[in-house]
Amino acid sequence: MSKLLIVGSVAFDAIETPFGKTDKILGGAAPYIALSASNFNVSAAVVSVIGEDFPEEYLTMLQKRNIDTSGIELVKGGKTFFWSGKYHNDLNARDTLDTQLNVLADFNPVVPETYKDAEIVVLGNLNPLVQLSVLEQMSTKPKLAILDTMNFWMEEAFIEDLRKVIAKVDVITINDEEARQLSGEFSLVKAARVIENMGPKYVVIKKGEHGALLFHEEQIFFAPALPLEEVFDPTGAGDTFAGGFAGYLTKTGDISFENMKNAIIHASNLASFCVEKFGTKRMENLNREEVQKRLQQFKKLTQFEIELS
Ligand code: AMP
């Protein structure tokens, strides 16, 4: 079975949306990515770090979804990374209220021996130097390295490190505002071109409820987001998208542009579930039937016949 290696934050999140507020719940890029990828029954492992305050039950939940957590280091006496955010009324924008790196501040990732030859690697949101270290530990060059990042790492203190990792990956997934910030271009078409020149051959720009774009040389593919009656909490939608994209490509083993289009659809489909409940709750018990049913809806939404003269 093909292997997927995931590095990313594991966190406590405190979230406020117009519909409610949570205390510390499970968050971080890695759980979202892994839960999403677990829908493809691939062998997946997470590399991350937690403190002694992290509940065992969260790890058990991930293991039940067949996710290898042996690469999650537990720091004795340490505190788990904490993030808190508040969404605006339209849910497309949020403010970060607090970021406490805690054990993430001096994290040295160790890739499990059995995953050093993983075909696909997802470098989820965290310090670019940690992302680089994971790539350097691989014994064989992965078929595809996918990078997800955010504006926090585009600040002056980290931007040079971020550029180094961007230069080494095949795919970058990034949201529209971050693509503009990184490239200095307002047009997303121009932004994608600038980012491609930094290294990745494929650029995925996520536009929240407005879908996602895939760029590769002169080719562009667009997938809408499934229009939902209720969006409860958008946290983790981007990571869930990245996990779905990577999970599908790992399962199929085909990294052509044509197959990446399908990966984008699977990614959008899975992200549509993530936003329906707070935190990871909706992703924890998602089953195959639900996923397949919504995929049908997706197909109906996007398929049309048109006569071209
Ligand atoms: P998303 O909504 O897809 O952007 O991802 C939200 C997740 O990213 C939350 O669960 C946070 O714990 C995590 N997160 C927020 N800021 C950071 C950061 N600076 N480094 C790593 N993870 C972060």
Side-chain angles (χ1 to χ4, degrees):
M1 205 195 283
S2 295
K3 286 188 262 185
L4 173 64
L5 179 68
I6 298 159
V7 60
S9 53
V10 171
F12 283 131
D13 283 355
I15 307 162
E16 194 174 335
T17 78
F19 313 109
K21 207 174 159 172
T22 67
D23 270 335
K24 287 180 170 180
I25 56 170
L26 172 64
Y32 285 109
I33 298 170
L35 285 170
S36 184
S38 72
N39 289 288
F40 298 97
N41 293 323
V42 293
S43 300
V46 171
V47 171
S48 194
V49 64
I50 51 175
E52 222 173 340
D53 52 357
F54 194 78
E56 181 74 32
E57 68 194 72
Y58 289 158
L59 293 177
T60 312
M61 181 277 292
L62 294 172
Q63 289 153 5
K64 277 197 185 137
R65 300 279 303 191
N66 233 348
I67 298 157
D68 183 336
T69 60
S70 62
I72 303 182
E73 183 198 348
L74 193 154
V75 177
K76 286 251 162 65
K79 279 176 76 181
T80 301
F81 170 69
F82 173 72
W83 177 79
S84 141
K86 182 176 175 175
Y87 286 85
H88 299 188
N89 276 342
D90 76 353
L91 290 175
N92 282 320
R94 76 176 174 209
D95 298 319
T96 289
L97 303 179
D98 198 2
T99 299
Q100 296 173 18
L101 291 178
N102 298 332
V103 291
L104 213 54
D106 11 61
F107 172 44
N108 285 315
V110 178
V111 176
E113 220 36 66
T114 47
Y115 274 82
K116 286 190 170 167
D117 59 352
E119 284 83 0
I120 301 209
V121 177
V122 183
L123 305 173
N125 189 14
L126 42 60
N127 189 317
L129 287 180
V130 173
Q131 295 174 320
L132 265 180
S133 161
V134 164
L135 272 190
E136 282 160 5
Q137 290 175 50
M138 300 305 286
S139 58
T140 48
K141 190 177 164 12
K143 210 161 148 180
L144 203 72
I146 304 166
L147 172 75
D148 191 63
T149 189
M150 73 184 294
N151 49 7
F152 185 88
W153 307 109
M154 291 173 199
E155 300 301 325
E156 215 180 312
F158 305 107
I159 187 70
E160 277 320 304
D161 297 332
L162 182 62
R163 281 179 187 281
K164 279 186 207 151
V165 65
I166 289 175
K168 286 196 157 46
V169 297
D170 306 291
V171 183
I172 182 169
T173 69
I174 189 167
N175 79 26
D176 43 1
E177 280 318 307
E178 290 154 358
R180 290 185 172 116
Q181 185 174 342
L182 183 64
S183 66
E185 291 286 353
F186 184 80
S187 148
L188 293 181
V189 176
K190 285 187 184 163
R193 205 169 295 144
V194 171
I195 297 171
E196 265 187 55
N197 283 330
M198 296 178 181
K201 294 181 286 293
Y202 301 88
V203 176
V204 178
I205 300 185
K206 299 168 287 182
K207 289 159 57 70
E209 65 170 335
H210 304 298
L213 291 152
L214 167 67
F215 296 87
H216 173 58
E217 295 169 352
E218 296 309 310
Q219 307 180 80
I220 307 179
F221 176 69
F222 171 72
L226 197 71
L228 293 172
E229 255 176 62
E230 270 178 303
V231 175
F232 201 71
D233 169 22
T235 309
D239 307 309
T240 302
F241 181 97
F245 182 80
Y248 178 76
L249 293 176
T250 308
K251 183 184 163 201
T252 56
D254 172 358
I255 56 165
S256 66
F257 182 77
E258 281 310 305
N259 200 46
M260 278 193 197
K261 291 183 186 176
N262 293 335
I264 294 275
I265 300 291
H266 281 280
S268 308
N269 191 44
L270 287 163
S272 79
F273 288 102
C274 173
V275 302
E276 288 183 335
K277 284 193 182 161
F278 262 127
T280 55
K281 274 286 161 254
R282 186 69 176 97
M283 302 309 289
E284 290 175 19
N285 302 307
L286 198 57
N287 67 47
R288 200 183 135 74
E289 286 67 39
E290 294 173 296
V291 175
Q292 289 304 317
K293 199 168 157 207
R294 202 168 276 189
L295 214 43
Q296 289 291 340
Q297 282 175 264
F298 229 104
K299 203 168 171 185
K300 274 199 196 137
L301 176 75
T302 50
Q303 229 174 23
F304 58 87
E305 295 294 330
I306 191 165
E307 290 287 330
L308 293 177
S309 53

